Amino acid sequence: MNNPQSSATDSNAQTQESELRPSPLSVAEARRAEAVGRHIVLKGWVRTRRDSKAGFSFIEINDGSCFGNVQVIADSHLPNYESEIKRLSPGCSIAVTGSVKASPGKGQATEVQAAEVAVLGTADVESYPLQKKGHSLEFLRTIAHLRPRTNTFGAVARVRNCVCNSIHQYFQERGFIYVHTPVITASDCEGAGAMFQVTTLLDKQRSPLPKAPEAENATPAPGLDFSLDFFNRPAYLTVSGQLEAETFACGLGKTYTFGPTFRAENSNTPRHLAEFWMIEPEVAFCDLYGDMELAEGLLKRIFSDVLEKCAEDMQFFNERIDKTVIEILQHVIGSQFLRVSYTEAVDILNSSGQKFEFPTAWGNDLQAEHERYLTEKHFGQPVILYDYPRTIKPFYMRVNDDGRTVRAMDVLVPKVGEIIGGSQREERLDVLEARMREQGLDPAGYWWYVDLRRYGTVPHAGFGLGLERVIQFITGMANIRDVIPFPRTPGNAEF
RNA sequence: UCCCCGAUAGCUCAGUCGGUAGAGCGAGCGGCUGUUAACCGCUAGGUCCAAGGUUCGAGCCCUUGUCGGGGAGCCA
C-alpha cells in the first residue's frame, strides 16, 4: 500500500520506538520466533501458573489470538510478586510488559520476560468454575459465558470464523452477490418445518386482544385477530431465505444468502438447533449438475482453508476430539464426491444384505440409518444423492421428465449426515402451480414467487448449507450445541 | 414428541447383598523443581437432583417430576 521507501522508514521508526515504548502484541505474535528481542505489552487471561523456588513463576496466558499460550517469566523481585503474582489463578486478566526471548524450555519457541505484571482482574479460585483441567462439554454448556476461555471453544470459534470467511471468499471470487433476505417473513409454509410466530398482539398496551370479538357480535374466535397485528397478517421467523433469494437470482444471476434461520421443531438431537446459520446460494441459468459442482467446490474450499489457516486448532481437534478429522478432510479434498441417484441408492440398500430398522422401498424417504450406511459404510466418503421421488419433496423442486422424480440433491457426509440440501427449481409456470395445488398450497399466496415464472423465467438452482453442521464435520465435535456460541434449543435460551 | 440411559465433593466418577460416603483432579498449607496436564506429603470439602412411598433401616428398591446424555422423527 505504501511505497518501499516509506515502509523502510516505518520499520526504522519502529526499531527506535521499541527501545522507548513497548508495542502491543498478541499472544499469537509473541509466540513467533521473529518476535524475539521485541519490547512488548501483552494482555490476556491466565491459563495456569507454576512457581519455581529458584525465584520466579511461569505464567501461561492466552488472549484468543491463537490456540497456544505464551509463557511469561515473572521474577520474584517484581514489586507485586508476593502480593499479586503468586496469587494469580486461571481466569485472571493481566497486562505484561516485558521482552520476548527465545525459550530454553521445550514446547515453545519464545517466552516473555516480564518487567511488569499488572493485574487487571482477579478470578476467585473458589468460585471460578473453570479449573486447570478436564471439563465435560455438558458442564461447559451450563457456563456458556465462560466457555470461550477454554481451548476447545477458542478453537471452535476460530474455525467457525475461518469457515465464514472462506464461504464469502468462495462466492465473491465467483461473482456472487451477497443478498440479505428477511428474517421476518409472512410465507407461512415453505415446507421446512414449524415456525416461530412474530407478533405484538400479546403486548396488551399496543393492541388489546378482546377487541375483535366485541366489535362483531359473531362467535368469538379462540385465536388472535392478526389483522390487528403489527404486519396485519401472521408473521414468522424465517425457515429459509430461498424463495426471496430466488427473486434476486432472477435478476442478478448469481446470489447467496448467509444468515440466521429458525425452526420451532421440538427436536432434541446433537444435530439440530432452533436457531442456526445457513448459507443459501441461488443461481440463475444453472441446472442440478451445476448446483452439485458449486456445492462440492464450496465444501472443498472451506476444508482446505481451515486446514491451512487453522492448523494449530485442527491439530487439537485431531488429538483430543476425533483422531480422524484431519485425515478425513484431506481425503475429501482430494477425491470427487460420488453422485448417486435416489433409485440407485435404494438398489444398493436393498442388495446390501444389511438389516435396517425401516425397510427400504422406492418412494419412501431415506432414513438416517440408510444415509449413514451409504456414506459411512458403503462408500466411506461424501455422496451426493439426487433425483428423489416427487412425493417426498417440496413443490419448488423441478419435476423430471419421468414425472416420478424431482431434481433434488442431498450431500451426505459421514457422522453428520445431511450437510447440504438443494435442488433445481421448477421454472415452468404451469408445472409449479400444479405442484403447489398437489401439496395443498394456494398459488395466490405465493403470487410474487410465481411471478418469477410468469415473467422471463429461467432455469435456476440452489442449495442450503448448514453452517453448524459443516463445523461439526470439520472439528469432529459430536454435539451441534458446542459449535455455536449460544445454542438455542427447546427449553434452552439462557445467555 | 417417542424409546433407552444417567443425576453422589468445585469438576470427572466409584459406591458390592438395602446397614448412614470414597477416589482422582481442583482448592488450602508445606516440600521440591527452567517448569509446561509438573511432582511429593498433609488438610478441608457432601441436603447422594426434587417430592412422595416401601422398610427397623434407602445413595441403592417403587412412583411422579425436573434436568442432562444417546437413539428416532423433523431437517440444515
Side-chain angles (χ1 to χ4, degrees):
Chain A
M1 24 189 94
N2 293 328
N3 62 48
Q5 193 78 31
S6 86
S7 86
T9 313
D10 284 350
S11 106
N12 269 346
Q14 203 174 43
T15 314
Q16 282 179 359
E17 194 184 332
S18 72
E19 289 161 16
L20 307 169
R21 202 156 51 86
S23 48
L25 227 59
S26 68
V27 168
E29 291 167 317
R31 288 177 71 226
R32 285 197 272 272
E34 305 92 87
V36 169
R38 293 190 65 182
H39 190 36
I40 65 161
V41 176
L42 200 62
K43 295 172 183 173
W45 292 267
V46 173
R47 283 296 177 81
T48 177
R49 191 200 81 237
R50 295 177 293 274
D51 301 323
S52 169
K53 279 298 187 307
F56 55 89
S57 291
F58 300 99
I59 308 165
E60 283 195 37
I61 70 175
N62 185 283
D63 64 357
S65 59
C66 63
F67 181 84
N69 308 324
V70 71
Q71 177 168 282
V72 172
I73 313 298
D75 281 318
S76 58
H77 56 64
L78 290 170
N80 60 342
Y81 184 74
E82 288 296 331
S83 61
E84 290 188 313
I85 293 172
K86 280 197 76 176
R87 294 179 186 174
L88 288 174
S89 55
C92 293
S93 49
I94 60 174
V96 176
T97 307
S99 52
V100 181
K101 296 184 166 179
S103 176
K106 291 175 185 170
Q108 65 268 328
T110 67
E111 62 189 29
V112 175
Q113 181 70 46
E116 183 190 341
V117 175
V119 178
L120 305 177
T122 59
D124 175 41
V125 80
E126 293 292 339
S127 58
Y128 186 63
L130 291 174
Q131 301 170 353
K132 232 176 199 172
K133 283 313 291 179
H135 291 295
S136 67
L137 297 171
E138 291 83 1
F139 172 68
L140 292 175
R141 234 170 270 154
T142 68
I143 49 167
H145 60 307
L146 296 175
R147 48 177 203 172
R149 303 181 184 194
T150 64
N151 285 336
T152 305
F153 287 89
V156 167
R158 283 182 296 272
V159 166
R160 187 177 170 112
N161 175 67
C162 177
V163 169
C164 294
N165 189 37
S166 189
I167 288 166
H168 279 299
Q169 283 186 6
Y170 176 82
F171 287 123
Q172 293 293 328
E173 287 165 7
R174 283 161 182 74
F176 281 63
I177 305 292
Y178 178 27
V179 175
H180 293 122
T181 50
V183 169
I184 298 172
T185 175
S187 310
D188 70 345
C189 182
E190 296 174 7
M195 305 175 86
F196 289 102
Q197 186 139 22
V198 176
T199 179
T200 56
L201 280 182
L202 302 179
D203 181 349
K204 293 187 178 107
Q205 288 183 327
R206 262 193 66 87
S207 182
L209 297 186
K211 218 176 190 174
E214 281 168 10
E216 289 188 35
N217 225 359
T219 33
L224 305 175
D225 180 356
F226 292 108
S227 71
L228 301 174
D229 205 349
F230 188 91
F231 296 107
N232 289 1
R233 68 179 68 197
Y236 308 88
L237 294 181
T238 183
V239 293
S240 165
Q242 179 197 319
L243 302 192
E244 288 92 347
E246 283 188 47
T247 71
F248 273 72
C250 294
L252 291 161
K254 294 186 279 189
T255 66
Y256 70 105
T257 73
F258 191 156
T261 306
F262 308 87
R263 303 280 162 87
E265 300 289 348
N266 187 12
S267 52
N268 206 322
T269 84
R271 291 177 295 281
H272 290 85
L273 290 166
E275 177 182 298
F276 62 99
W277 288 66
M278 191 154 65
I279 296 92
E280 296 180 287
E282 196 65 42
V283 188
F285 315 108
C286 180
D287 62 12
L288 191 67
Y289 301 112
D291 207 30
M292 292 180 191
E293 278 171 36
L294 187 70
E296 179 172 351
L298 174 62
L299 289 176
K300 287 180 172 175
R301 170 61 180 276
I302 293 169
F303 299 157
S304 55
D305 279 355
V306 168
L307 287 178
E308 185 196 326
K309 296 174 184 171
C310 298
E312 202 181 5
D313 294 313
M314 287 307 300
Q315 201 60 44
F316 166 78
F317 290 119
N318 205 61
E319 281 167 16
R320 294 297 181 91
I321 303 295
D322 180 339
K323 298 197 184 305
T324 65
V325 285
I326 290 182
E327 188 189 336
I328 287 176
L329 290 179
Q330 286 169 341
H331 178 248
V332 167
I333 291 166
S335 58
Q336 163 125 25
F337 289 16
L338 295 171
R339 279 125 168 103
V340 179
S341 75
Y342 167 90
T343 304
E344 289 169 322
V346 170
D347 288 344
I348 289 168
L349 291 166
N350 281 335
S351 55
S352 66
Q354 185 86 7
K355 280 184 186 172
F356 296 109
E357 190 184 343
F358 296 93
T360 51
W362 202 99
N364 292 348
D365 210 351
L366 296 178
Q367 303 290 317
E369 56 173 342
H370 304 140
E371 296 183 344
R372 224 181 299 120
Y373 174 82
L374 289 170
T375 185
E376 288 174 8
K377 289 190 180 157
H378 188 81
F379 295 116
Q381 67 169 87
V383 183
I384 305 179
L385 297 187
Y386 64 98
D387 283 356
Y388 283 76
R390 68 184 286 167
T391 49
I392 59 172
K393 290 293 182 185
F395 66 87
Y396 51 75
M397 296 187 175
R398 192 183 196 279
V399 179
N400 277 309
D401 292 343
D402 64 11
R404 316 164 67 206
T405 59
V406 292
R407 304 245 81 186
M409 65 131 180
D410 283 353
V411 180
L412 310 179
V413 296
K415 292 177 190 173
V416 176
E418 185 184 341
I419 202 169
I420 282 178
S423 68
Q424 185 173 334
R425 318 307 189 190
E426 182 55 74
E427 85 281 12
R428 297 162 296 188
L429 178 63
D430 53 336
V431 181
L432 180 68
E433 289 184 328
R435 283 279 285 157
M436 289 175 135
R437 292 193 192 91
E438 188 177 300
Q439 301 195 350
L441 302 172
D442 181 7
Y446 296 83
W447 64 273
W448 53 268
Y449 183 74
V450 175
D451 262 7
L452 302 179
R453 282 72 180 169
R454 186 168 283 123
Y455 308 115
T457 191
V458 293
H460 60 291
F463 61 81
L465 168 66
L467 176 64
E468 285 76 16
R469 289 190 180 172
V470 176
I471 299 169
Q472 276 191 279
F473 180 72
I474 290 171
T475 60
M477 295 292 287
N479 196 310
I480 200 167
R481 300 169 190 206
D482 298 327
V483 296
I484 188 168
F486 300 101
R488 295 291 179 257
T489 53
N492 190 348
E494 184 92 22
F495 307 106

